[in-house]
Amino acid sequence: MTQIDLDTFITTKMKAHPRKFEQKYPNETKIILKLIKQALDKKGQEFGYKYNYLAITEYCVEVLGFTMVSREGLRKIIARIAKENSCEL
């Protein structure tokens, strides 16, 4: 076996496997980002603590009908999208 360093391995893997949800569902990604920003606006208000990733996940599944991934997978995707766009809840 050939030896490659860890940095090269990680860089190659990141380029080979981009974030699949964001690539496959760009419209849904925009909707999720909009919902995250709405939740951020409500954060300082009364009951603002109820605006979290799980609430957004439930809204996406129950109201918008997102069935492409599991609830837990979608919650993680929403958290990742928020982190990547500097709008974490």
Side-chain angles (χ1 to χ4, degrees):
M1 294 188 110
T2 61
Q3 289 283 60
I4 60 171
D5 64 338
L6 183 61
D7 291 333
T8 306
F9 175 76
I10 299 292
T11 305
T12 305
K13 192 167 178 97
M14 283 179 10
K15 289 179 182 174
H17 302 288
R19 299 295 186 183
K20 292 181 181 175
F21 185 87
E22 289 89 332
Q23 299 275 325
K24 196 169 183 180
Y25 304 105
N27 292 334
E28 286 80 357
T29 303
K30 290 176 187 173
I31 292 170
I32 289 171
L33 191 55
K34 187 178 88 173
L35 292 171
I36 292 168
K37 289 180 180 177
Q38 284 179 348
L40 274 175
D41 292 341
K42 301 283 185 180
K43 206 63 174 161
Q45 299 176 4
E46 186 178 6
F47 301 113
Y49 64 91
K50 294 188 179 216
Y51 291 87
N52 54 36
Y53 299 134
L54 186 57
I56 294 172
T57 301
E58 290 173 355
Y59 178 80
C60 287
V61 171
E62 295 173 13
V63 177
L64 300 178
F66 287 16
T67 57
M68 61 284 286
V69 293
S70 67
R71 284 181 188 247
E72 183 61 21
L74 185 59
R75 185 192 63 76
K76 290 178 181 179
I77 290 167
I78 290 170
R80 185 179 68 228
I81 291 171
K83 187 175 184 179
E84 288 174 354
N85 290 284
S86 301
C87 50
E88 294 179 85
L89 297 176

